[in-house]
Amino acid sequence: MVLSPEALARIDRATAKYPSDQRQSAVMAALTIAQDEKGWLSTETMDFVAQYLGMPPIAVYEVASFYTMYHLKPVGKHKLTICTNLPCALQGATAAAEHLKQKLGIGFNETTADGLFTLKEGECMGACGDAPVVLLNNKRMCCTMTPDRLDALIKELK
Amino acid sequence: MGLPVPPFAHDVFGPDAIILKGLDGLNWRLKDYEARGGYQALRKVLAEKIPPEAIVNEVKKSALRGRGGAGFPAGLKWSFMPRRFSGQKYLVCNSDEGEPGTFKDRDILRYNPHVVIEGMALAAYTTGASVGYNYIHGEIWDIYERFEEALAEARAAGYIGKNILGSDLSFELHAHHGFGAYICGEETGLLESIEGKRGLPRFRPPFPASYGLYGKPTTVNNTETFAAVPWIVLNGGEAYVNLGRPNNGGTKIFSVSGDVGRPGNYEVPLGTPFAKLLDMAGGMRDGRKLKACIPGGSSMPVLPGGVMMQTDMDYDSIAKAGSMLGSGAVIVMDETRCMVKSLLRLSYFYFEESCGQCTPCREGTGWLYRMVHRIEHGKGRKEDLDVLDNVADNIAGRTICALGDAAALPVKSFVKHFRDEFKYHIEHGKCLVPEYL
C-alpha cells in the first residue's frame, strides 16, 4: 500500500464532500494528504491517487504540476516560503528574504546540504497585513517575521 | 507591526463595522455568534416563510455589490439563477483570496466564520441551491481548519444539513481548499478547480448561473458578500444602502497595507474619504509623504497620492478618480518608493500566475515583465514605454478571463502617472529615488 490506512481514511472523508460520481473533486485534498505523508509526490504516489479516485494518471499529474504547493521533487524537511510580493515588500519582506538566504546559505529554490531547509519565494498568501509572512511546510503561517523572529524560527526547527 | 493579536479591542476594525463588529479574536464560536444575534436572519426567514423573490428584492435594494473585485450587484446575480430548474443547483463561496494587498476574507473567516455560513444558508434558500462549497485559499490552512470546525458546529446545531431548523430547507455546505494558484480566484477557474482539474478559466457565456459547477446552475459570491447578507435580511435593503451611498450600499472592509502605521482591516461605510481611512490605519509610517496608492488590489490602476487624498472610498468615486475599488485592498506607497521597482514586482506576479491558456496573456505577461526588468536594471530603451503600452493594450480585453486585464492595468497606470520616473530610469540607468524597497 502506497498510503497508510489513516491517510486513506482522510481521503475518504474528503471524497464524501462531493457527489458520488465526482470523486475527482477530491484530488487536491488527496494529493495534499499524500504529500503530508510522503513529503513529496512521486509518480508512484500520483499513480496510486489516480487509481484510488478512478482518474487517468495524466489528469492527476496535470493538477499536481499546476498548483504550486505540490512538490514533484523531494524538498528539505522544512520548506520555508516567503512572500515577496509588493505589499509585503513595502513592509520589510525583501530584507527578511535576504536575511533567510544569508542565514541558511542558500538561494530561492535551493535546499541546505543537510537536507533540513528548502527556501521558496511565494506569491500572495492573503496575509499582507502580517508581513513579512513565512509559510512553513504549506500549513503553518508565521507572521511579522523580523530578523529576530526568523532566527528564533530557524533555531526552533534545527 | 502586524495585525492585532487576540484578544483585541472590540472596535479594532472601526466604529461602524457590521461584519467585524464586536469581535475580539477569540469569540468566533457558534455560541458567541448566537450571543451577538447570529442566525436570527435565518430563523426569521424560515419562521416567516419569506418568499425568495422578496429576499432577492431586498438584496437588490441594498445595492450590495460583489466584494471580490468585480463589484457586480449581488441581488442581480442571484436573480440569474433559474427558478423553475428542478435539478441540482450549487452555491459557491470564493475565499481564494490571493489578490496582492487583500487579506479581509482571512479575518472574516477566522474571527466570524458563522456569518459566512449564515449568509450562504440564506443565499441557498433564495437561489434554491441545496449544496455549497467554500473554496479557501490554500496558504491559509489554519483558517480552512477553523472553517471546518465552524461547519461542524453549525451542522450539530441544525443550521446546515437536512431540514434546517425543522423547515423544508436542506443545505449541505463543505470546505474545499486551494493549493497555490492565484487564477482560482477567478470564478470559473475556481469551479474547474473544485471539479478536480487545473484552474483554467472557462469561456463565457455560458455563465455559471446556467452552466456552473458540474455543469449545473451555480452562484459564486465572495466571502464578504455572503457575510453582508444576514444584516441585510434582518435590517432591510434600504437600511443597508443608507449605511453607504446610493449604488454603493453598506460597509466595506478595506485591507490597508504598505507604508502605513497600522496595516490592517478597517470596515467603514462606503463613501468614507480616503484621508479618514488612512488616518484609521495610523497615517503614513514615519511621517513620510504619500506618493501613490493602489486602491483596489494590485490588479487595479495606481493613483498618485494627491488624487487619492481627494477621493472617497466607494465604487463610483474611485472609478471617477481613474481606478477601481476592486477587492478593497489599499496598497499605500510613500515618497521613498521607486515606481519602476514596484511595477516590476507586480509584473513578475502576473507572469508567474498566468495560467497560460490564452496566448496574449501567456506571452504578453512575460514580455511586460522582461521589459520592466530591463528598465529597472538600467538597460531600458527609449521606445520601451510606448512598446509597454502597446503590449498592455494587446493583452487587455483579448483573453478568456480578467487576468490579462489585471496584468495590463498596473503597467498602463504606472507608466501614465509616473512617466518621468520611468524615463529617468531609461535615460540615466538608475533610480530617481533612493532605494528602500
Side-chain angles (χ1 to χ4, degrees):
Chain A
M1 194 65 85
V2 176
L3 295 176
S4 69
E6 294 75 32
L8 295 182
R10 289 177 64 203
I11 294 176
D12 290 343
R13 280 203 295 278
T15 312
K17 293 177 180 179
Y18 309 97
S20 53
D21 59 344
Q22 301 287 351
R23 287 174 66 81
Q24 177 169 348
S25 281
V27 66
M28 291 180 71
L31 288 174
T32 306
I33 293 162
Q35 179 166 287
D36 282 350
E37 185 160 295
K38 298 283 178 187
W40 67 291
L41 297 173
S42 65
T43 305
E44 187 197 11
T45 305
M46 290 190 284
D47 288 351
F48 176 81
V49 167
Q51 182 229 327
Y52 196 75
L53 295 177
M55 295 167 65
I58 182 72
V60 175
Y61 307 159
E62 278 185 359
V63 169
S65 59
F66 186 83
Y67 299 91
T68 58
M69 288 156 72
Y70 296 116
H71 314 139
L72 300 179
K73 289 183 184 145
V75 293
K77 186 175 172 202
H78 305 295
K79 185 184 75 160
L80 301 172
T81 311
I82 181 162
C83 174
T84 59
N85 208 310
L86 182 61
C88 280
L90 296 169
Q91 292 163 217
T94 313
E98 267 321 300
H99 185 83
L100 271 180
K101 286 181 190 172
Q102 295 278 327
K103 179 99 184 163
L104 298 174
I106 52 173
F108 287 137
N109 301 316
E110 291 178 1
T111 300
T112 52
D114 58 8
L116 263 186
F117 295 99
T118 297
L119 188 58
K120 291 259 181 193
E121 183 175 35
E123 293 301 342
C124 189
M125 299 170 186
C128 327
D130 277 327
V133 176
V134 171
L135 194 60
L136 171 62
N137 290 336
N138 296 332
K139 299 280 178 81
R140 180 175 147 200
M141 188 171 271
C142 308
C143 299
T144 51
M145 297 308 282
T146 53
D148 286 354
R149 291 173 64 118
L150 286 170
D151 291 347
L153 177 67
I154 302 289
K155 199 172 158 195
E156 173 201 321
L157 298 175
K158 262 191 176 165
Chain B
M1 288 279 276
L3 298 174
V5 177
F8 40 71
H10 280 207
D11 61 349
V12 73
F13 301 107
D16 300 314
I18 58 173
I19 294 171
L20 300 176
K21 184 182 180 180
L23 305 179
D24 65 9
L26 301 176
N27 55 1
W28 60 271
R29 291 202 170 269
L30 177 62
K31 61 176 171 46
D32 304 308
Y33 183 62
E34 285 174 329
R36 288 194 295 273
Y39 288 110
Q40 287 304 320
L42 184 62
R43 286 182 182 279
K44 176 181 160 166
V45 162
L46 294 177
E48 297 175 15
K49 296 196 166 63
I50 298 174
E53 295 77 19
I55 300 175
V56 170
N57 281 338
E58 281 308 310
V59 176
K60 278 185 180 168
K61 218 188 286 173
S62 76
L64 171 64
R65 296 170 62 169
R67 303 299 197 220
F72 193 81
L76 191 59
K77 194 183 239 186
W78 289 9
S79 72
F80 293 156
M81 283 290 267
R83 284 280 158 70
R84 296 203 184 88
F85 184 84
S86 57
Q88 181 69 54
K89 291 187 252 185
Y90 290 103
L91 190 66
V92 172
C93 177
N94 184 347
S95 302
D96 193 32
E97 185 176 50
E99 168 82 0
T102 319
F103 48 92
K104 63 189 176 65
D105 298 339
R106 174 176 176 239
D107 273 4
I108 298 173
L109 289 173
R110 64 175 165 172
Y111 299 140
N112 207 9
H114 284 284
V115 77
V116 179
I117 297 174
E118 186 181 10
M120 289 190 76
L122 289 163
Y125 173 85
T126 309
T127 59
S130 61
V131 177
Y133 295 96
N134 185 9
Y135 190 108
I136 300 174
H137 202 43
E139 285 85 342
I140 49 172
W141 191 264
D142 49 338
I143 276 82
Y144 168 76
E145 288 185 329
R146 176 167 294 186
F147 193 75
E148 288 272 35
E149 262 190 82
L151 278 179
E153 286 184 325
R155 203 171 280 130
Y159 291 122
I160 54 171
K162 284 204 168 58
N163 301 108
I164 294 174
L165 302 172
S167 72
D168 297 337
L169 177 66
S170 291
F171 177 57
E172 290 292 348
L173 178 57
H174 304 284
H176 180 109
H177 68 77
F179 223 55
Y182 170 67
I183 194 63
C184 292
E186 198 281 341
E187 64 175 8
T188 58
L190 185 150
L191 295 177
E192 289 284 304
S193 185
I194 298 181
E195 292 183 4
K197 303 171 193 161
R198 291 175 293 164
L200 306 184
R202 297 174 183 169
F203 198 84
R204 282 162 296 182
F207 289 93
S210 49
Y211 190 93
L213 184 61
Y214 309 125
K216 306 294 184 196
T218 303
T219 294
V220 187
N221 284 126
N222 172 252
T223 321
E224 189 185 351
T225 311
F226 282 124
V229 172
W231 196 96
I232 293 170
V233 169
L234 274 183
N235 298 279
E238 199 177 322
Y240 189 78
V241 79
N242 286 340
L243 292 176
R245 284 182 176 174
N247 197 35
N248 297 269
T251 59
K252 173 81 187 84
I253 304 173
F254 289 99
S255 302
V256 186
S257 67
D259 297 321
V260 295
R262 282 191 304 276
N265 286 311
Y266 301 94
E267 185 181 354
V268 298
L270 279 166
T272 298
F274 170 75
K276 189 176 171 196
L277 179 67
L278 181 60
D279 208 43
M280 288 172 81
M284 297 300 295
R285 198 194 305 139
D286 300 332
R288 293 209 179 110
K289 283 204 190 84
L290 174 69
K291 176 177 185 175
C293 175
I294 309 176
S298 67
S299 305
M300 300 305 163
V302 67
L303 290 174
V307 175
M308 275 313 293
M309 290 306 279
Q310 304 301 317
T311 301
D312 294 340
M313 300 304 284
D314 63 71
Y315 295 89
D316 296 338
S317 300
I318 296 177
K320 211 171 139 196
S323 186
M324 285 168 76
L325 181 138
S327 61
V330 179
I331 307 170
V332 177
M333 288 174 272
D334 73 27
E335 58 194 321
T336 68
R337 302 304 183 177
C338 168
M339 291 295 113
V340 182
K341 197 164 190 175
S342 300
L343 177 61
L344 175 62
R345 188 58 187 82
L346 293 181
S347 296
Y348 176 75
F349 171 68
Y350 294 104
F351 167 54
E352 168 76 24
E353 297 293 340
S354 172
C355 80
Q357 188 176 205
C358 310
T359 310
C361 176
R362 181 186 64 241
E363 301 303 320
T365 51
W367 198 350
L368 292 175
Y369 166 64
R370 288 188 298 274
M371 286 185 66
V372 179
H373 188 273
R374 82 178 177 223
I375 295 172
E376 165 66 15
H377 289 88
K379 299 203 169 91
R381 302 167 198 163
K382 223 170 44 201
E383 65 274 16
D384 276 358
L385 295 186
D386 293 330
V387 181
L388 267 180
D389 215 43
N390 185 272
V391 173
D393 282 340
N394 277 294
I395 302 173
R398 294 166 196 265
T399 53
I400 288 174
C401 83
L403 193 140
D405 299 45
L409 285 175
V411 170
K412 287 186 70 75
S413 60
F414 269 81
V415 173
K416 178 182 161 195
H417 292 299
F418 301 97
R419 199 174 180 89
D420 286 350
E421 231 176 284
F422 283 81
K423 272 171 83 176
Y424 189 92
H425 259 268
I426 291 171
E427 284 162 11
H428 299 84
K430 60 177 185 183
C431 203
L432 245 180
V433 293
E435 281 197 28
Y436 290 96
L437 238 184

